[in-house]
Amino acid sequence: MFSNKEEFKQSFIKKLEMTYGKSFEETSNEDRFQTLGQMVREHISENWIRTNELYRSSKTKQIYYFSIEFLLGRLLSSNLLNLGITGVAKDGLEELGISLAEIEEVEADAGLGNGGLGRLAACFLDSLAALNLPGHGSGIRYKHGLFEQKIVDGFQVELPEQWLRYGHVWEVRKSDLAVEVPFWGKVESYMENGRLNFRHVEAENVMAVPYDMPVVGYNTETVNTLRLWSAEPSPFPIHSDVLQYKKETETITEFLYPDDTHDEGKILRLKQQYFLVSASLHSIIRSFKKKFSHIGDLPEKIGIHINDTHPVLAIPELMRILMDEEKLGWEEAWDITVRTISYTNHTTLSEALEKWPIRIFKPLLPRIYLIVEEINERFCRHLWEQYPGDWRRIEDMAVIAHDQVKMAHIAIAGSFSVNGVAALHTEILKTREMKQFYEVFPEKFNNKTNGITHRRWLLKSNPELTQLINESIGDDWIKNPILLSELEAFRDDHSFAAKLMWIKQQKKQALAKRIEQQSGIKLNLDSIFDVQVKRLHAYKRQLLNVFHIIYLYNRIKEDSSFQPYPRTFIFGAKASPGYYYAKKIIKLINSTAELVNKDPKVNKYVQVVFLENYRVSLAEQIFPAADVSEQISTAGKEASGTGNMKFMMNGAITLGTLDGANVEILERVGDENMFIFGLKAEEVMRYYLNGDYRAREYYHHDKRIRQVVDQLVNGFFPNSFGQFEAIHDSLLAENDQYFVLRDFASYADAHEKVAEAYLDRDRWMKMSIINIAQSGYFTSDRTIQEYAEEIWNIDKVKMLH
Ligand SMILES: *Cc1c(COP(=O)(O)O)cnc(C)c1O
């Protein structure tokens, strides 16, 4: 089908006309997308079957990556790329008068995630397959992914996302592999052969139906599987009200929770979590038992990785299977469980640490709760032996305390590996947030700095830059991105710099065109494109960015001799629908944009754009067009960040705090190739410990700050009366928890340095080249290689011919 252009064209037209029963000319882009998608899936199927056969017959260890989110984005272009058939498809379609790019635009993003955590899971799948590693994803097939964002009158409005409206061409429903997941009911004990056994009775069963998606490796025959579970009513409900039961069941996988930074204490969320792990473990153990006879061999053959604490119930659920179904004793079951499970921590924000009230947990999952209680008791006893009499410590570390189940504590006690996602984050875990656990289990803690798949975030999103790199250093770097460092040889090469600048300009033009089409704003293409795209959260400090923009506005208005280098500030961010404060910040950005953009005196120097509905497919157009990458979180708060890596790989220069992976970017590029500002993590910590930060002092002593803070509430923003009081309060009345005022001066200075550096274009291009050259370390292939060697202990598989 894809071996050459002619054959491709013929099969495409034939399939298109046969499927839709109209002539080729009459078919729509939707028809064409579906047809091409089906052809690609058929093309994948042979290797998918072969990979699965290999996994069934070989005895090598398999990894299952459990994640409540997979933020996949579009898959047509990445599948074409990984299969090496982009050229055939593009050229063939072109001869038929069809643009591949236009067809790609038809595909809905699979937006089954909030942000960084879900996108990391998607990048990891891509890397596992590319590296021929036997690793699969386990997740939930939400009927609606993250909400679609509209901006109406400057406010965020949320619409239900509809990625399945026209079906999903990449998924295969496997009805025959459905399993039952029990909720509610009660636990009965009984004696059998002199052993006390437990069983879960009178449960309300929900049917979990798997939908499999192929995960195609780049330039290899490996096709792994992402299995997403959908909740459906069981064919044999015990429920008396069948309609009610059906509705409750389908609700389980209806929506993705639109928040990744708060512990969502909702019973439905706990249902989702158990649904995911119970269904996944059921099918994993089933296939394990077909291949192996000793359940004790599980840890040698299966690894289960839990992405943050959402899938933590995998630990008590595996215990349940081993004890209640496999009839092992506690000690043996625990040993197997701990050796099977590994855990990644994603945050140090205490409001994000998941806790479940017993009154919710216990009735919903009665057998699992009993096991958690036993885990708690044994764990506390173990602690007592190590710290006799230290009640305080035991209470802090217990799995159940104050009528709550602490998911992170189960994760640490019940796994053999606990990793942070950037060097600084892991250090903070060990020395602060999880210090007491580190003291008990030092051997479990390790760091795996996050990464991004360079295939999507460079090859796919920036083919022009990819080609320039290939022309300069060959294409070995694509298999081994650390070789991008060979670009260092071009740091002073004017011809390379000129080409790089031209590409950046093309990408800025393309983004500007899209912005003009959508919002009518015409951007100055000679301005610095200064970009902050990420979830809206107080700790990420979009507020600091807007503050600086309002300050620039004020200065331009007041001082006509102030003529700063033109800048375009671009934002993209979704706020969780219930996060009142974050939504106010969105409104503030939009109110500022309105003021700035329509003021002829100001808009020569400053423009502000808020891009609606930030998501993976939009992100792919943004990173290549950025000059400056805003990574300005309060130090110590951003576990890693991955947006920072995507910008860097596309030649943007980071303006950031020493937080998350920014620290490691700095280590690689040096401080002459990055703009670092603000408090360091230890300084932030010291303020918290001593309680001696006084936001008001910064308000009183810096008149730039005072002016902007006052403008929030003094009628400066037309038609926004009373709108920004909550922001004003957070800064003064609540003493500015995220140190926006404290870091303002340092941030404004850094911005001046950015403009100065940009004026010297040779210097800027050199910085850009060095950033690209040093970005290879941040490929998720490196990250996954480290997980494979240092945590999972798995080997590459080789397809036999
Ligand atoms: C990479 C990415 C993120 C994570 O961005 P951070 O800046 O690391 O928070 C969030 N959303 C999307 C769509 C992304 O592609």
Side-chain angles (χ1 to χ4, degrees):
M1 258 182 312
F2 290 94
S3 39
N4 67 66
K5 225 169 30 185
E6 289 311 316
E7 196 194 300
F8 165 73
K9 274 162 42 183
Q10 276 178 18
S11 351
F12 179 71
I13 292 183
K14 186 167 165 217
K15 193 175 178 77
L16 186 61
E17 297 190 334
M18 271 170 49
T19 311
Y20 293 97
K22 32 186 171 176
S23 75
F24 165 68
E25 289 75 20
E26 289 173 290
T27 54
S28 65
N29 273 346
E30 283 76 15
D31 302 338
R32 293 167 182 183
F33 165 73
Q34 289 296 338
T35 301
L36 181 57
Q38 271 161 29
M39 286 172 68
V40 174
R41 210 184 73 199
E42 284 165 30
H43 183 70
I44 294 168
S45 65
E46 187 186 333
N47 280 337
W48 198 11
I49 293 167
R50 274 156 44 82
T51 307
N52 279 327
E53 272 170 1
L54 177 71
Y55 290 158
R56 256 195 304 277
S57 60
S58 91
K59 310 260 154 157
T60 62
K61 185 173 177 185
Q62 310 273 313
I63 293 302
Y64 295 88
Y65 193 84
F66 283 18
S67 181
I68 204 87
E69 302 188 4
F70 284 92
L71 188 47
L72 301 166
R74 291 179 177 148
L75 296 170
L76 175 60
S77 40
S78 64
N79 282 336
L80 288 172
L81 175 75
N82 288 351
L83 293 163
I85 56 177
T86 309
V88 174
K90 185 166 186 285
D91 298 347
L93 290 172
E94 215 156 77
E95 288 182 11
L96 297 173
I98 301 173
S99 134
L100 175 59
E102 261 175 47
I103 291 199
E104 286 172 352
E105 284 293 313
V106 171
E107 185 173 3
D109 277 45
L112 309 183
N114 276 286
L117 175 146
R119 184 54 232 174
L120 185 75
C123 285
F124 280 4
L125 292 182
D126 188 71
S127 288
L128 282 162
L131 297 174
N132 297 306
L133 290 166
H136 313 281
S138 283
I140 293 178
R141 181 179 179 270
Y142 303 102
K143 188 170 168 201
H144 304 284
L146 186 61
F147 66 85
E148 185 184 331
Q149 179 194 55
K150 290 258 180 260
I151 301 297
V152 179
D153 194 23
F155 293 100
Q156 167 174 297
V157 173
E158 302 100 25
L159 304 175
E161 189 278 343
Q162 300 273 17
W163 71 297
L164 293 173
R165 184 161 32 194
Y166 305 111
H168 191 58
V169 65
W170 307 111
E171 68 181 13
V172 184
R173 181 184 162 98
K174 300 270 173 75
S175 310
D176 55 322
L177 299 180
V179 304
E180 303 254 309
V181 178
F183 294 102
W184 310 110
K186 59 183 194 189
V187 179
E188 262 178 18
S189 59
Y190 61 100
M191 293 300 287
E192 192 178 72
N193 306 325
R195 181 185 193 272
L196 180 64
N197 293 287
F198 295 89
R199 65 182 161 223
H200 187 176
V201 297
E202 291 168 32
E204 196 175 288
N205 281 324
V206 171
M207 197 167 66
V209 182
Y211 286 73
D212 286 356
M213 282 160 73
V215 181
V216 178
Y218 177 82
N219 197 16
T220 161
E221 290 162 26
T222 300
V223 180
N224 290 332
T225 299
L226 168 59
R227 175 161 287 181
L228 300 178
W229 295 93
S230 178
E232 296 183 8
S234 159
F236 313 105
I238 58 158
H239 219 280
S240 50
D241 185 343
V242 174
L243 276 181
Q244 165 86 6
Y245 164 74
K246 182 170 184 293
K247 193 165 156 26
E248 273 177 22
T249 305
E250 285 164 355
T251 306
I252 297 175
T253 53
E254 183 116 326
F255 288 100
L256 165 77
Y257 272 89
D259 197 337
D260 52 358
T261 44
H262 289 85
D263 159 28
E264 266 288 349
K266 298 276 167 58
I267 192 162
L268 188 57
R269 174 101 171 170
L270 188 59
K271 267 191 171 176
Q272 287 184 338
Q273 298 186 351
Y274 185 65
F275 177 78
L276 164 64
V277 303
S278 173
S280 304
L281 277 171
H282 194 135
S283 85
I284 291 165
I285 299 290
R286 184 170 55 194
S287 62
F288 171 85
K289 290 182 72 173
K290 278 195 193 141
K291 266 164 67 175
F292 305 102
S293 45
H294 295 290
I295 194 75
D297 292 339
L298 193 73
E300 277 76 52
K301 302 300 171 190
I302 301 285
I304 290 166
H305 197 90
I306 57 180
N307 192 24
D308 213 330
T309 54
H310 321 115
V312 133
L313 297 178
I315 293 165
E317 175 66 2
L318 184 52
M319 287 296 288
R320 187 195 63 76
I321 295 169
L322 295 173
M323 294 188 302
D324 296 0
E325 295 174 16
E326 301 301 322
K327 311 292 182 197
L328 301 185
W330 181 279
E331 305 284 349
E332 200 182 349
W334 184 248
D335 174 67
I336 292 172
T337 300
V338 172
R339 288 194 294 122
T340 302
I341 302 224
S342 47
Y343 156 62
T344 296
N345 174 285
H346 279 270
T347 183
T348 57
L349 300 180
S350 53
E351 63 271 32
L353 291 178
E354 286 196 294
K355 297 181 208 77
W356 290 101
I358 292 175
R359 76 186 142 72
I360 288 179
F361 195 120
K362 192 174 171 181
L364 182 68
L365 306 168
R367 178 61 183 132
I368 297 303
Y369 181 73
L370 281 184
I371 292 171
V372 170
E373 253 186 349
E374 182 74 21
I375 292 174
N376 182 51
E377 261 165 48
R378 288 174 185 250
F379 183 53
C380 289
R381 228 177 295 149
H382 172 84
L383 292 173
W384 181 261
E385 280 162 25
Q386 196 166 345
Y387 304 101
D390 194 347
W391 286 109
R392 178 64 204 275
R393 177 187 281 261
I394 293 167
E395 184 185 315
D396 284 351
M397 296 179 71
V399 160
I400 301 175
H402 307 287
D403 299 321
Q404 290 192 315
V405 179
K406 298 183 174 177
M407 305 298 255
H409 298 193
I410 303 180
I412 303 172
S415 65
F416 68 91
S417 169
V418 177
N419 75 279
V421 290
L424 175 66
H425 171 231
T426 302
E427 239 6 75
I428 291 174
L429 288 181
K430 295 204 282 196
T431 57
R432 280 191 353 230
E433 245 59 41
M434 297 187 163
K435 181 166 184 286
Q436 295 181 317
F437 286 93
Y438 178 61
E439 285 163 2
V440 178
F441 304 115
E443 72 291 348
K444 291 190 184 186
F445 285 75
N446 64 93
N447 177 245
K448 297 287 167 281
T449 299
N450 281 169
I452 54 167
T453 169
H454 59 288
R455 289 165 291 271
R456 180 176 293 262
W457 298 110
L458 179 50
L459 307 205
K460 155 72 199 10
S461 67
N462 204 339
E464 298 84 352
L465 177 54
T466 303
Q467 198 189 332
L468 173 62
I469 299 170
N470 287 345
E471 284 165 9
S472 310
I473 60 170
D475 62 6
D476 287 350
W477 65 275
I478 294 175
K479 272 279 161 191
N480 184 193
I482 204 78
L483 295 177
L484 280 171
S485 62
E486 291 173 9
L487 288 172
E488 288 274 356
F490 294 83
R491 56 199 287 170
D492 296 309
D493 185 312
H494 288 288
S495 146
F496 185 93
K499 289 180 198 153
L500 181 59
M501 194 150 88
W502 189 83
I503 290 166
K504 183 62 79 182
Q505 210 55 31
Q506 298 302 303
K507 293 302 201 183
K508 287 166 79 169
Q509 219 170 65
L511 181 63
K513 189 171 153 198
R514 190 188 166 112
I515 290 170
E516 191 177 351
Q517 279 166 358
Q518 288 185 356
S519 61
I521 301 169
K522 218 175 164 59
L523 297 185
N524 174 1
L525 291 173
D526 295 324
S527 65
I528 302 172
F529 277 26
D530 182 308
V531 184
Q532 187 173 21
V533 286
K534 49 182 74 252
R535 282 302 288 264
L536 202 310
H537 197 282
Y539 85 81
K540 292 179 182 279
R541 294 202 298 192
Q542 281 91 351
L543 182 59
L544 179 57
N545 193 342
V546 203
F547 254 53
H548 174 255
I549 297 169
I550 302 171
Y551 150 71
L552 285 178
Y553 172 94
N554 291 336
R555 197 160 159 206
I556 293 165
K557 294 291 269 188
E558 285 160 14
D559 174 5
S560 56
S561 72
F562 179 60
Q563 302 184 340
Y565 194 91
R567 262 164 284 194
T568 299
F569 294 98
I570 297 172
F571 293 86
K574 288 179 182 173
S576 180
Y579 191 173
Y580 178 79
Y581 181 80
K583 291 178 136 181
K584 290 292 180 189
I585 306 272
I586 290 182
K587 175 64 175 165
L588 179 63
I589 296 169
N590 285 310
S591 298
T592 304
E594 196 171 319
L595 265 183
V596 165
N597 294 342
K598 66 177 197 208
D599 190 317
K601 196 166 165 196
V602 178
N603 66 19
K604 277 189 287 197
Y605 305 109
V606 179
Q607 290 177 295
V608 181
V609 181
F610 188 97
L611 289 172
E612 221 169 48
N613 204 28
Y614 179 56
R615 62 197 184 283
V616 172
S617 59
L618 181 55
E620 287 169 22
Q621 300 196 19
I622 297 172
F623 294 111
D627 295 308
V628 175
S629 159
E630 296 261 2
Q631 306 301 334
I632 60 178
S633 51
T634 309
K637 301 284 180 195
E638 186 75 89
S640 164
T642 48
N644 45 4
M645 302 166 186
K646 302 169 197 164
F647 278 108
M648 178 194 192
M649 203 173 264
N650 282 278
I653 315 300
T654 307
L655 165 55
T657 48
L658 280 176
D659 200 14
N662 297 352
V663 176
E664 289 158 82
I665 294 177
L666 175 67
E667 264 172 36
R668 279 168 178 82
V669 302
D671 60 7
E672 66 284 14
N673 298 303
M674 200 169 168
F675 301 96
I676 296 291
F677 74 95
L679 292 174
K680 297 178 179 51
E682 312 93 80
E683 295 169 326
V684 168
M685 201 58 223
R686 216 170 307 135
Y687 272 127
Y688 284 135
L689 288 175
N690 300 338
D692 57 355
Y693 174 52
R694 306 274 178 268
R696 275 182 192 281
E697 286 174 13
Y698 293 85
Y699 170 80
H700 287 300
H701 292 134
D702 189 331
K703 85 175 201 307
R704 300 171 298 180
I705 294 177
R706 194 161 63 245
Q707 184 174 10
V708 180
V709 172
D710 290 347
Q711 282 167 329
L712 292 173
V713 290
N714 70 6
F716 168 77
F717 291 99
N719 313 318
S720 298
F721 191 75
Q723 204 52 253
F724 304 126
E725 241 140 53
I727 299 175
H728 186 269
D729 283 352
S730 76
L731 295 171
L732 298 184
E734 292 153 33
N735 199 35
D736 182 22
Q737 281 195 63
Y738 296 98
F739 302 92
V740 172
L741 306 189
R742 175 68 181 76
D743 275 348
F744 177 82
S746 165
Y747 181 60
D749 284 349
H751 263 297
E752 285 190 17
K753 296 205 179 86
V754 168
E756 192 187 316
Y758 197 80
L759 269 179
D760 179 351
R761 207 53 69 88
D762 286 345
R763 175 175 160 208
W764 189 271
M765 294 323 292
K766 180 172 173 175
M767 294 172 78
S768 180
I769 295 166
I770 291 170
N771 270 272
I772 300 167
Q774 295 302 322
S775 70
Y777 177 78
F778 297 103
T779 172
S780 46
D781 289 5
R782 186 267 312 152
T783 314
I784 282 297
Q785 196 67 49
E786 291 178 6
Y787 275 88
E789 286 169 17
E790 298 164 21
I791 300 178
W792 299 331
N793 190 24
I794 51 169
D795 296 321
K796 290 184 189 316
V797 288
K798 191 88 197 96
M799 208 82 88
L800 301 170
H801 288 271

